[in-house]
Amino acid sequence: MGDRKYFGTDGIRGRANTYPMTAEVALRVGLAAGKLFRTGDDRRHLVVIGKDTRLSGYTIEPALVAGFASVGMDVRTFGPVPTPGVAMLTRSMRADLGVMISASHNDYADNGIKLFGPDGYKLSDEIELKIEAMMDQGLDQGLAPSNKLGRVKRIDDAQARYIEIAKQAFPKRLSLKGLRIAVDCANGAGYKVAPTTLFELGAEVFPVGVEPNGTNINAECGSTHPETLSGAVKRYRADIGIALDGDADRLIICDEKGQVVDGDQIMALVGLDWAKRGILTGGGIVATVMSNLGLERRLKSKGLTLERTKVGDRYVMERMREGGFNIGGEQSGHIILHDHATTGDGLMAALQVLAVLVESAKPMSELARQFDPVPQLLENVRFTADKPLETDKVKAAIAEAETALKGQGRLLVRPSGTEKLIRVMAEGDDEALVKRVVSEVATAVRAAMK
């Protein structure tokens, strides 16, 4: 991935109004992606654009619109709508391309651009590289003649359309009547759709993080700050708490006692329920190398597999499509339910958890611990040198650690896709051993950079 100039593991992302997250780069994305997706035939081409609640959305969106319209693509803007909503509406409106303006769970000062193909899936690395190559062309190349410019309209009911699609994912035979649900929308893209969906399905809803002002997205709220949700659950005596992130594609749950339930437990809960009902496909679940060993063992005990991919929901989705799986996700709370969506969807995943909760008639705290997690420790090491993992000492430390953990744990050392960090993670049954190997490998990585 080192040769990429703009795109990272999840679209283009950076500090708003500084390179590469400027209006100029957004304009170039619109021009390049517009030219690439405009096929030779004479029909009108369409791109749809959604965003979260960041202040900088007001600079990025018009720049993208100008780029697309000037190469002859019609544009529909949605305003604030979850990332998975953009993926769905790209498909349902037969658009050639979908764009989401968001930096997900990062703070308001960052922003990002994610692109979806006409099928609602994130674009492949290959197509992103093609767009990159075209972005550096002159701004006046390949423009449409003046009578072929794109037309632009705002779609006012995009949120209502998403709510209707989301509600379809909740089993018809069930209702949320009588449930008290606290929902933290991170002052982000789900701030209207999530409470409305839960309310329309019959729940008594206690929303927090639903007053976006452009700079408070993810600020001490949402899935990255579960303590806010935990407090709300206790304050409102809720039966369950649901926290989304800024673009509403990830989910964290709290039980009625305010205890946090991570993505691994959510995947186990929904996956085992679907397996029992005969609707789980692929013979297991897809997760990343970060998912807990306890999840793998629990699935194995039921004759199911856990397939692991690189970190990043796009890799999870790719493996799901290849192997015919319908549940996958990340420990951080990106849950992909392929029967309902083409990307992670926090609200859809929450509705599956609620379905199990309603049907079981048990309190959430009894359902929340599907397995006992194995002790897991992650240490991040900032790096300055090039390729710090390729020195002999680091390789030796990694080999030693792997030998020590053999048969009762695992080690993972990888560079972060979004920051200059090396992540050193180990897990195993013996907590002291896990601590020791993480510390030894992290020390070796630091020494290699001196």
Side-chain angles (χ1 to χ4, degrees), residues 20 25 49 89 148 153 157 237 245 252 284 332 340 450:
V25 171
I49 303 179
L89 292 167
K148 291 274 196 323
K153 273 192 197 141
D157 65 345
R237 300 188 313 287
D245 67 338
I252 292 292
S332 61
H340 304 293
K450 290 205 164 78

Side-chain angles (χ1 to χ4, degrees), residues 241-437:
I242 295 164
L244 306 173
D245 67 338
D247 67 337
D249 66 351
R250 80 163 66 177
L251 161 79
I252 292 292
I253 296 262
C254 274
D255 66 18
E256 78 283 1
K257 297 173 178 167
Q259 297 170 63
V260 176
V261 185
D262 71 9
D264 283 347
Q265 299 283 1
I266 294 168
M267 283 188 278
L269 175 68
V270 178
L272 292 170
D273 176 67
W274 283 17
K276 198 169 71 192
R277 294 201 277 140
I279 57 173
L280 186 72
T281 60
I285 287 175
V286 181
T288 73
V289 287
M290 301 300 281
S291 275
N292 196 283
L293 201 55
L295 171 62
E296 198 171 319
R297 290 173 179 172
R298 175 82 170 103
L299 292 172
K300 207 170 171 183
S301 74
K302 295 286 184 190
L304 301 168
T305 55
L306 180 71
E307 296 228 4
R308 293 183 185 270
T309 70
K310 293 195 286 193
V311 172
D313 61 336
R314 66 194 292 169
Y315 303 113
V316 173
M317 185 75 247
E318 273 167 25
R319 183 68 201 102
M320 287 171 72
R321 292 172 81 181
E322 280 164 17
F325 295 88
N326 59 353
I327 295 185
E330 298 190 282
Q331 189 182 49
S332 61
H334 276 131
I335 313 286
I336 306 172
L337 304 163
H338 203 197
D339 296 358
H340 304 293
T342 53
T343 183
D345 190 324
L347 181 57
M348 291 262 189
L351 292 174
Q352 300 311 310
V353 173
L354 289 166
V356 181
L357 179 67
V358 170
E359 199 125 61
S360 71
K362 291 177 176 164
M364 188 61 212
S365 54
E366 275 182 43
L367 300 173
R369 257 184 111 79
Q370 290 292 309
F371 63 87
D372 290 327
V374 168
Q376 194 178 55
L377 185 66
L378 170 69
E379 191 169 327
N380 291 321
V381 183
R382 283 224 166 266
F383 71 86
T384 42
D386 275 353
K387 307 197 170 157
L389 296 183
E390 289 175 21
T391 66
D392 292 342
K393 280 189 173 157
V394 172
K395 284 180 178 165
I398 289 172
E400 251 171 65
E402 282 171 343
T403 310
L405 286 166
K406 207 167 188 62
Q408 51 152 342
R410 60 191 188 98
L411 172 75
L412 177 72
V413 183
R414 66 175 192 95
S416 159
T418 49
E419 301 169 82
K420 278 200 152 304
L421 295 173
I422 299 288
R423 303 195 191 283
V424 181
M425 192 273 279
E427 58 179 355
D429 301 308
D430 176 349
E431 197 166 353
L433 175 64
V434 167
K435 276 187 181 152
R436 195 188 87 215
V437 300

Side-chain angles (χ1 to χ4, degrees), residues 56-328:
S56 54
Y58 291 118
T59 61
I60 306 288
E61 185 186 63
L64 280 166
V65 169
F68 284 118
S70 60
V71 292
M73 278 188 108
D74 288 340
V75 187
R76 301 287 178 269
T77 59
F78 295 150
V81 64
T83 293
V86 172
M88 280 170 200
L89 292 167
T90 303
R91 271 202 314 193
S92 84
M93 293 178 69
R94 309 287 187 275
D96 297 280
L97 191 63
V99 185
M100 178 66 180
I101 305 166
S102 174
S104 193
H105 54 280
N106 295 20
D107 81 6
Y108 84 94
D110 288 347
N111 215 333
I113 297 172
K114 287 184 217 194
L115 304 173
F116 294 94
D119 54 4
Y121 293 97
K122 289 183 178 170
L123 296 186
S124 66
D125 288 348
E126 212 176 353
I127 294 178
E128 284 185 351
L129 285 169
K130 275 189 190 161
I131 293 172
E132 284 212 340
M134 294 169 74
M135 280 169 67
D136 291 332
Q137 292 177 354
L139 293 176
D140 54 354
Q141 285 181 5
L143 301 182
S146 44
N147 62 340
K148 291 274 196 323
L149 291 172
R151 295 175 184 276
V152 185
K153 273 192 197 141
R154 167 84 180 231
I155 301 285
D156 288 324
D157 65 345
Q159 294 185 336
R161 294 183 194 203
Y162 172 71
I163 290 167
E164 285 311 310
I165 301 171
K167 288 192 321 194
Q168 300 296 318
F170 190 71
K172 292 273 178 288
R173 63 184 189 281
L174 302 176
S175 153
L176 297 179
K177 278 203 173 26
L179 268 192
R180 294 168 68 89
I181 303 178
V183 58
D184 179 350
C185 301
N187 291 313
Y191 80 103
K192 278 190 181 154
V193 295
T196 306
T197 302
L198 298 169
F199 175 76
E200 290 185 5
L201 289 169
E204 196 177 343
V205 184
F206 300 93
V208 294
V210 288
E211 290 169 1
N213 61 12
T215 59
N216 61 1
I217 187 169
N218 300 316
E220 307 301 320
C221 60
S223 63
T224 42
H225 298 277
E227 59 284 358
T228 300
L229 177 66
S230 181
V233 165
K234 294 175 191 160
R235 191 161 66 247
Y236 298 119
R237 300 188 313 287
D239 299 303
I240 185 172
I242 295 164
L244 306 173
D245 67 338
D247 67 337
D249 66 351
R250 80 163 66 177
L251 161 79
I252 292 292
I253 296 262
C254 274
D255 66 18
E256 78 283 1
K257 297 173 178 167
Q259 297 170 63
V260 176
V261 185
D262 71 9
D264 283 347
Q265 299 283 1
I266 294 168
M267 283 188 278
L269 175 68
V270 178
L272 292 170
D273 176 67
W274 283 17
K276 198 169 71 192
R277 294 201 277 140
I279 57 173
L280 186 72
T281 60
I285 287 175
V286 181
T288 73
V289 287
M290 301 300 281
S291 275
N292 196 283
L293 201 55
L295 171 62
E296 198 171 319
R297 290 173 179 172
R298 175 82 170 103
L299 292 172
K300 207 170 171 183
S301 74
K302 295 286 184 190
L304 301 168
T305 55
L306 180 71
E307 296 228 4
R308 293 183 185 270
T309 70
K310 293 195 286 193
V311 172
D313 61 336
R314 66 194 292 169
Y315 303 113
V316 173
M317 185 75 247
E318 273 167 25
R319 183 68 201 102
M320 287 171 72
R321 292 172 81 181
E322 280 164 17
F325 295 88
N326 59 353
I327 295 185

